[in-house]
Amino acid sequence: MSHSETRAARLLREMRVSFVLALPLVLGQVSSMAMNIIDTWLAGRHGPVTLAAVGVGSAVWSVVILVSIGVLMAVPPTVSQLNGAGRRAEIGPLFRQAVWLALALGFGLFFVVRAGALALEPMGITAEARPEAVAFLRAISWGAPALALYFCLRNLSEGVAWTLPTMVFGIAGLVLLAPLGWALMFGLQLGAAGLGYAVAITLCCQCIGLGSYLFRSRRFADLGLFARFDPPRWAPIRDLLRLGLPMGVSVFMEGSLFVATALLIGKLGTTQIAAHQVAILMASLCFMVPLGVAMATTVRVGHAVGAGDPSAVRWSAAAGYTLAMLAQTLSALVLVFAGVWLAGFFTQDPAVIALAGLLMAYAAVFQYPDGLQAMSAGALRGLKDTRVPMFITVLAYWGVGLPLGYWFGLAKGQGAPGLWTGLILGLSVAAVLLGWRFWRLARRPLAPVRVT
């Protein structure tokens, strides 16, 4: 920061840079989330049982998304640090090893989803919704390998600060899913399974499209991403796993809190399941904004680390926090004042609408802690600090959030609102501890960039 530039001017300048980088990421994330909204809308038009079944199935499928996102989050900070350090020649070999990791992850998760479908009865999911939920999961499982590979390709592009493909291919997937889901669900009368197949086909198309773009684009030509075939090498894959597995656990701990909440609500009947599905979709849609900002902050912080500029690390994070809190304020207002109206978009059942509107008011409360924990986690990923955040998330979400949610919701008989109270408390603990961790590390000298 120059002597003539005030702190406010510097913050505004950093916010502009972060906004330009984050906007395509936000739109891409919103497009991905909108795919779930389309599924929910179509399921709601098919009937409350189908809506409940897709709600349960989506909760299990979200585990696959969370694990894929978390483990492959090792790619953006590693690539951005190499890019910031001027070591672009090392990005191509790293990418080819990341592809092997993504393929192994995707095929492994295919079997996880299949096993999850078999576990719905032991978990006590209501018998009315269970058959359709199983059909949905068996269909959507075919998209798991494409999902993991797509995240790998997307993360490479984001790591070199080119975020436009995330938006373009996210919107393209959204445009494809809507008519395809309608055709398979109503035209071929496949019900919930039709939605699962539509998502899987859409993911395959997104993966092929983004891979073709990276192969042909001159922007990536100097990286040599597809210059040769490299067999799997344990050393770089091990380093990616060392960084990515704690991220995967962290993301899984947060997401599985929501999944476990959905499965516990699955014991309470179709009305509460359907209301939760509608409310959590809207809350998740709002979360895509701070998540996109956090992803941009990961790249900016990683680039600053690679360039050896500790001041830029702190300013990049400060810009991200400011943007995220502004967005969360707007989201909270929408959820409070438009919650019932939004619920009516998905279903005509008055009981579902009323409960969903109440749950969206709870969602408005956790907008701020959710945004803060997402931003802190993103900034920490830019520093490649993942192990301690992993333990923090385990404590916050499974040591605080889920037990208290279970106690309020089931033991005290408050139902879905009580379980959502647990979400608020778990996210609040994570926000405080992760924020403290980042700002403590941001004051330390930067370590040199190392990639095997």
Side-chain angles (χ1 to χ4, degrees), residues 214-295:
L214 295 181
F215 178 77
R216 297 172 61 89
S217 175
R218 286 180 292 180
R219 181 179 292 272
F220 300 93
D222 68 306
L223 301 180
L225 300 178
F226 304 96
R228 64 177 187 270
F229 172 83
D230 286 346
R233 292 177 49 229
W234 172 240
I237 292 176
R238 178 196 60 207
D239 285 350
L240 287 170
L241 286 172
R242 184 180 293 138
L243 182 63
L245 283 177
M247 290 183 188
V249 172
S250 296
V251 173
F252 176 76
M253 286 297 104
E254 179 189 359
S256 61
L257 171 64
F258 289 85
V259 172
T261 298
L263 294 176
L264 289 173
I265 291 173
K267 300 173 180 289
L268 303 177
T270 56
T271 296
Q272 296 212 38
I273 297 173
H276 171 81
Q277 173 67 1
V278 170
I280 203 66
L281 270 177
M282 297 313 303
S284 300
L285 181 62
C286 293
F287 179 66
M288 294 302 102
V289 179
L291 178 60
V293 175
M295 293 164 66

Side-chain angles (χ1 to χ4, degrees), residues 178-405:
L180 185 60
W182 182 275
L184 295 179
M185 186 175 199
F186 294 99
L188 296 183
Q189 298 183 352
L190 295 178
L195 290 179
Y197 286 122
V199 173
I201 293 169
T202 300
L203 289 171
C204 290
C205 292
Q206 285 181 306
C207 180
I208 294 171
L210 181 54
S212 300
Y213 169 77
L214 295 181
F215 178 77
R216 297 172 61 89
S217 175
R218 286 180 292 180
R219 181 179 292 272
F220 300 93
D222 68 306
L223 301 180
L225 300 178
F226 304 96
R228 64 177 187 270
F229 172 83
D230 286 346
R233 292 177 49 229
W234 172 240
I237 292 176
R238 178 196 60 207
D239 285 350
L240 287 170
L241 286 172
R242 184 180 293 138
L243 182 63
L245 283 177
M247 290 183 188
V249 172
S250 296
V251 173
F252 176 76
M253 286 297 104
E254 179 189 359
S256 61
L257 171 64
F258 289 85
V259 172
T261 298
L263 294 176
L264 289 173
I265 291 173
K267 300 173 180 289
L268 303 177
T270 56
T271 296
Q272 296 212 38
I273 297 173
H276 171 81
Q277 173 67 1
V278 170
I280 203 66
L281 270 177
M282 297 313 303
S284 300
L285 181 62
C286 293
F287 179 66
M288 294 302 102
V289 179
L291 178 60
V293 175
M295 293 164 66
T297 302
T298 297
V299 174
R300 294 206 65 209
V301 169
H303 191 277
V305 170
D309 189 347
S311 175
V313 168
R314 294 187 289 271
W315 279 108
S316 297
Y321 278 109
T322 305
L323 288 171
M325 289 303 96
L326 290 173
Q328 295 304 82
T329 299
L330 179 60
S331 296
L333 292 173
V334 170
L335 290 169
V336 167
F337 293 107
V340 173
W341 178 81
L342 290 170
F345 176 74
F346 295 97
T347 179
Q348 303 303 313
D349 189 316
V352 174
I353 291 174
L355 182 55
L358 174 62
L359 294 180
M360 279 189 247
Y362 279 74
V365 175
F366 70 60
Q367 289 304 294
Y368 292 104
D370 205 12
L372 287 171
Q373 67 81 23
M375 270 304 310
S376 298
L380 286 166
R381 287 194 297 270
L383 296 176
K384 286 191 174 181
D385 181 65
T386 60
R387 188 165 299 179
V388 172
M390 175 184 68
F391 292 118
I392 289 173
T393 55
V394 172
L395 169 65
Y397 301 133
W398 285 80
V400 176
L402 187 61
L404 289 178

Side-chain angles (χ1 to χ4, degrees), residues 156-182:
L156 179 280
S157 182
E158 293 170 7
V160 295
W162 183 237
T163 57
L164 189 62
T166 296
M167 178 186 72
V168 172
F169 287 96
I171 294 174
L174 182 64
V175 171
L176 174 62
L177 177 63
L180 185 60
W182 182 275

Side-chain angles (χ1 to χ4, degrees), residues 2 101 114 116 118 123 207 225 236 244 262 354 412:
S2 67
L101 175 60
R114 291 275 165 151
L118 300 175
M123 285 188 290
C207 180
L225 300 178
K412 302 295 288 184

Side-chain angles (χ1 to χ4, degrees), residues 110 113-114 117-118 133-142 197:
F110 167 83
V113 177
R114 291 275 165 151
L118 300 175
V134 170
F136 175 81
L137 286 170
R138 287 177 175 170
I140 204 172
S141 66
W142 295 102
Y197 286 122

